[in-house]
Amino acid sequence: MKMHHTIIGVLALCALLTGCVGTGPNTQQGAVTGGALGVLAGAIIGNNSRSHDALGGAVIGGLAGAVAGGTLGNAADQRNGTIYTSEEAATSNVVVAAPPPPPPVQTEVIIEQPAPDMIWISGCWVYGPRGYFWTPGHWERPPPYHRHYVGPHWQRRSGGYVYIRGYWR
């Protein structure tokens, strides 16, 4: 029973921490999935070790799995672009007194539209934890009931500027 509570506790901690990072759904899903797999693997490895410490193995495995899964999920969010369907969901927790200027716009070639229902999302500089990084333009199928893409931007709010990631409306 103690092992069952530990697994639930580690997964709850992983879910709580990933909800606070201000990143996309792949990051959050990756952290929770990685944490769950890490708990199982850690418990098995810990139980089979000399000390037979399944509980300690589960905790360490869960935390390591959550970090690894979150990292892989975040890479997917950055690579694919995260689909936000409201300004509220796209609003980051980055608030600054004045937004840092982005680097110069890159030139890009718009490739042929792969399907009639796809919309071109222009490449842009996206603001992340280490500053701006370039995201190339790509064709994307809008989510259901959404047809207009709003690119990432800074918005003045009380207390400074907040960074809004790109989203569909």
Side-chain angles (χ1 to χ4, degrees):
M1 187 64 138
K2 188 175 182 182
M3 176 65 142
H4 181 264
H5 290 290
T6 300
I7 291 171
I8 291 172
V10 170
L11 291 177
L13 178 63
C14 294
L16 173 68
L17 293 175
T18 57
C20 297
V21 295
T23 55
N26 291 318
T27 304
Q28 295 170 12
Q29 183 180 7
V32 172
T33 302
L37 294 174
V39 165
L40 294 175
I44 292 168
I45 292 169
N47 190 49
N48 291 334
S49 69
R50 284 186 180 168
S51 62
H52 299 288
D53 186 13
L55 183 62
V59 171
I60 292 169
L63 294 175
V67 170
T71 302
L72 293 172
N74 188 263
D77 281 333
Q78 300 299 332
R79 183 177 60 251
N80 301 333
T82 299
I83 298 178
Y84 294 102
T85 56
S86 72
E87 182 176 279
E88 181 181 338
T91 301
S92 72
N93 58 0
V94 177
V95 179
V96 295
V105 174
Q106 304 253 348
T107 21
E108 60 184 357
V109 176
I110 299 175
I111 59 172
E112 185 179 335
Q113 187 177 20
D117 63 336
M118 297 186 85
I119 295 176
W120 178 256
I121 306 298
S122 296
C124 61
W125 290 102
V126 176
Y127 193 76
R130 295 188 190 127
Y132 286 103
F133 61 91
W134 179 254
T135 300
H138 61 280
W139 289 101
E140 194 168 298
R141 183 167 282 113
Y145 311 110
H146 296 82
R147 293 290 169 242
H148 180 72
Y149 181 78
V150 179
H153 60 281
W154 291 95
Q155 187 177 86
R156 186 162 181 74
R157 301 237 176 121
S158 62
Y161 288 84
V162 66
Y163 185 71
I164 313 288
R165 296 175 282 255
Y167 65 96
W168 292 93
R169 63 172 182 201

